[in-house]
């Protein structure tokens, strides 16, 4: 959607040549709902298992439920943002987040918690594509080709802040038990509702408003969902006996591509993505970066509690340097245009940290473990920012919401791969041998990410676009 945007009553029209920073609080608060909820559960799994007498295989669904819902919901919600605008989608999403918080806080059984996590997955999908859509609109209105500062704040909000989830979760559990990790969504959603209602622009009446009433591509969404669900379920428990799931995923993907090539208004225009190789490579980098980040976030955290013997609060505090370093690095480098340099330095830092994990044992001193957290914070601040900025310049502006949603979907695909690797190397408990196996997978992912950044010449064009706009 293009054109002027209606300004809510009582809100002055934004400056003609500057980004309207009154949008930032609602954008950033909405954007953190998903990463916070994806990571806060890491230190709550053991207390929840004890509360309901459930084995680890059952509590793992609390992680997987949000992964699957988010992976499916992000591009769907992104398409809704492209079609109906960010404001209504944002307000519905944060409302669902609050409802999920209430359900989780009062849940009498584990399956109810899983339902709450599914609702959380869909509800928290709205923040990121809404924010990217608003950034694109505001940039076009103000004539800013590359809003590096705003993109940096968004990166800090969506990715770097995810690392504080275990720290926040540990503190909340210490104060109010594991139910507090769900209840925290209630005040957050209320704040988002108030800020969104006051600051987010309404959609103007348009001559082509009839396009909003066209039938949505429900068949395309159904086939996309079938592809992701079967693929993700296979990745969560890969085995010969579940290969049929992979076959179903491939068949559903082929039907999805066939459908979208013939749809009048496709859910995902596969022609656009097929002709945009740099964007596809960016999605691949998102997968690789997420494998390392989430393997660290969940696998390493589980090892700290199981084998190193730390309680949830101590584990969360040990991961705090990762959060602090990530924010500091993103803040210091965010206004620099170089996407390729960020990727190379970030991937190299990942490689160093993963190499250190190979030598970590239950007898390793705390300073060594803290050093790993500090180093892994560097790519947390660089790689995610670079991937996000690359997408901003590579994606079709008209479909920025759907493209942003797909970026998050690929990130959660990486998270699923990380979870599958954790399950493979930690079949019973997280021990030293399992950590070495998981660290080996992380080293390989970091190496491939580094090689892709060094060899990709198309990143030079992105750098030139960013520098020319700076």
């Amino acid at each position: 959607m293009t054109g002027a945007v209606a300004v809510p009553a009582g809100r002055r029209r934004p400056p003609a040549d500057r980004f309207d920073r009154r949008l930032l609080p609602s954008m950033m608060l909405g954007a953190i709902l998903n990463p916070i909820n994806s990571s806060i559960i890491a230190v709550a799994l053991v207390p929840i298992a004890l509360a309901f007498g459930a084995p680890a295989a059952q509590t793992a669904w609390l992680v997987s439920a949000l992964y699957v819902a988010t992976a499916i919901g992000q591009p769907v919600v992104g398409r809704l943002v492209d079609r109906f605008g960010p404001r209504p989608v944002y307000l519905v999403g944060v409302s669902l987040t609050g409802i999920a918080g209430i359900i989780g806080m009062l849940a009498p059984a584990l399956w109810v918690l899983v339902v709450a996590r599914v609702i959380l997955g869909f509800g928290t999908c709205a923040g990121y594509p809404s924010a990217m859509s608003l950034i694109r609109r505001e940039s076009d209105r103000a004539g800013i080709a590359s809003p590096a500062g705003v993109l940096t704040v968004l990166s800090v909000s969506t990715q770097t802040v995810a690392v504080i989830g275990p720290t926040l979760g540990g503190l909340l559990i210490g104060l109010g038990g594991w139910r507090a990790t769900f209840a925290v969504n209630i005040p957050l959603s209320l704040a988002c509702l108030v800020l969104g209602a006051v600051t987010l622009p309404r959609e103007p009446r348009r001559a082509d408003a009839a396009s909003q009433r066209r039938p949505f591509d429900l068949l395309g969404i159904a086939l996309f969902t079938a592809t992701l669900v079967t693929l993700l379920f296979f990745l969560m428990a890969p085995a010969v006996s579940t290969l049929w799931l992979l076959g179903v995923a491939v068949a559903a993907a082929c039907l999805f591509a066939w459908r979208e090539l013939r749809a009048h208004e496709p859910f995902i225009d596969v022609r656009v993505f097929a002709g945009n190789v740099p964007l596809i490579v960016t999605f691949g980098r998102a997968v690789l970066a997420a494998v390392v980040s989430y393997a660290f976030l969940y696998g390493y955290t589980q090892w700290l509690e199981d084998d190193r013997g730390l309680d949830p609060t101590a584990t969360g505090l040990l991961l705090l340097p990762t959060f602090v370093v990530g924010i500091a690095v993103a803040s210091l480098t965010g206004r620099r245009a170089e996407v390729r340099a960020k990727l190379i330095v970030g991937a190299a830092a990942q490689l160093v940290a993963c190499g250190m994990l190979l030598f970590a044992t239950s007898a390793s001193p705390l300073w060594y473990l803290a050093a790993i957290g500090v180093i892994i914070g560097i790519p947390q601040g660089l790689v995610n920012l670079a991937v996000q900025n690359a997408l901003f310049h590579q994606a079709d502006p008209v479909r920025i919401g759907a493209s942003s949603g797909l970026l998050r979907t690929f990130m959660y695909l990486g998270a699923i791969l990380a979870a599958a690797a954790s399950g493979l190397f930690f079949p019973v408990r997280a021990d030293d041998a399992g950590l070495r196996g998981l660290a080996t997978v992380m080293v390989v992912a970091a190496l491939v990410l580094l090689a892709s950044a060094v060899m990709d010449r198309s990143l030079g064009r992105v750098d030139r676009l960013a520098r020319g706009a700076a």
Side-chain angles (χ1 to χ4, degrees):
M1 297 180 184
T2 58
V5 177
V7 180
R11 180 169 174 256
R12 291 180 299 174
R13 188 168 294 279
D17 60 345
R18 294 200 305 273
F19 193 97
D20 185 4
R21 294 186 176 272
R22 288 169 292 187
L23 297 172
L24 290 179
S26 56
M27 285 169 51
M28 303 314 158
L29 190 58
I32 71 170
L33 293 176
N34 188 269
I36 284 290
N37 277 286
S38 70
S39 60
I40 199 171
I41 198 72
V43 293
L45 293 176
V46 173
I48 290 173
L50 292 174
F52 292 109
Q58 291 183 13
T59 57
W61 279 100
L62 294 172
V63 178
S64 303
L66 188 133
Y67 281 167
V68 173
T70 302
I72 295 168
Q74 285 284 2
V76 175
V77 171
R79 189 71 182 95
L80 291 172
V81 169
D82 288 335
R83 187 165 178 177
F84 299 105
R87 178 187 169 93
V89 178
Y90 176 96
L91 294 176
V92 170
V94 298
S95 298
L96 286 175
T97 301
I99 292 171
I102 295 172
I103 294 173
M105 183 179 66
L106 302 175
L110 183 63
W111 71 267
V112 181
L113 283 183
V114 174
V115 171
R117 292 283 288 179
V118 170
I119 298 173
L120 270 177
F122 286 117
T124 58
C125 281
Y128 184 72
S130 295
M132 286 292 281
S133 178
L134 285 166
I135 291 172
R136 168 58 71 182
R137 292 178 182 210
E138 273 294 290
S139 299
D140 292 343
R141 180 195 63 78
I144 304 170
S146 183
V150 179
L151 287 171
T152 299
V153 175
L154 182 62
S155 177
V156 169
S157 300
T158 56
Q159 293 308 304
T160 310
V161 169
V163 185
I164 203 175
T167 303
L168 176 62
L171 294 174
L172 288 173
I173 291 170
L175 291 172
W178 61 262
R179 291 186 185 273
T181 62
F182 286 86
V184 71
N185 288 290
I186 300 172
L188 286 176
S189 66
L190 288 174
C192 288
L193 277 172
V194 173
L195 286 170
V198 171
T199 64
L200 295 185
R202 299 179 184 276
E203 292 300 302
R205 293 184 178 276
R206 300 166 52 215
D208 62 341
S211 64
Q212 296 184 357
R213 296 192 294 271
R214 292 176 187 165
F216 212 56
D217 185 14
L218 296 180
L219 179 56
I221 293 175
L223 290 170
F224 180 80
T225 301
T227 301
L228 278 184
V229 168
T230 50
L231 176 63
L232 297 180
F233 279 176
F234 171 76
L235 291 175
M236 284 187 290
V240 174
S241 61
T242 59
L243 277 175
W244 66 272
L245 287 171
L246 188 58
V248 173
V250 172
C254 293
L255 287 173
F256 171 72
W258 177 84
R259 160 67 185 180
E260 298 306 275
L261 287 171
R262 288 158 177 78
H264 176 68
E265 190 174 341
F267 163 52
I268 296 175
D269 192 346
V270 294
R271 292 186 187 90
V272 172
F273 293 108
N276 193 341
V277 175
L279 181 59
I280 294 173
V281 174
T282 292
F283 288 149
R285 290 194 185 100
V287 174
L288 294 169
V291 167
V292 176
S293 294
Y294 283 92
F296 176 81
L297 195 60
Y298 285 108
Y300 179 61
T301 299
Q302 187 178 350
W303 175 81
L304 287 174
E305 293 187 32
D306 272 356
D307 212 50
R308 193 60 174 77
L310 301 180
D311 61 37
T313 302
T315 298
L317 290 175
L318 189 61
L319 296 178
L320 187 58
T322 306
F323 166 69
V324 174
V325 171
I327 286 186
V329 170
S331 301
L332 291 172
T333 64
R335 292 187 177 274
R336 297 188 63 86
E338 296 84 358
V339 169
R340 189 181 190 194
K342 290 186 177 76
L343 285 172
I344 291 174
V345 174
Q350 276 190 345
L351 202 54
V352 172
C354 297
M356 292 178 68
L357 275 179
L358 285 172
F359 299 98
T361 69
S362 57
S364 296
L366 287 178
W367 68 261
Y368 184 83
L369 303 179
I372 294 174
V374 169
I375 297 172
I376 204 73
I378 297 172
Q380 198 71 25
L382 287 177
V383 175
N384 296 309
L385 177 60
V387 168
Q388 177 183 274
N389 287 7
L391 177 130
F392 185 83
H393 291 288
Q394 293 167 339
D396 180 358
V398 177
R399 289 184 173 265
I400 188 69
S403 298
S404 302
L406 277 173
L407 178 67
R408 304 285 288 185
T409 294
F410 278 97
M411 289 175 57
Y412 275 92
L413 178 58
I416 290 289
L417 290 170
S422 296
L424 176 64
F425 293 109
F426 299 152
V428 179
R429 61 187 300 273
D431 56 15
D432 288 347
L435 181 64
R436 284 192 294 273
L438 185 62
T440 301
V441 172
M442 296 167 69
V443 165
V444 172
L447 273 173
V448 176
L449 179 61
L450 180 59
S452 76
V454 171
M455 298 171 62
D456 188 357
R457 295 183 178 181
S458 71
L459 291 174
R461 178 178 176 274
V462 174
D463 284 345
R464 287 191 297 272
L465 287 172
R467 281 195 295 265

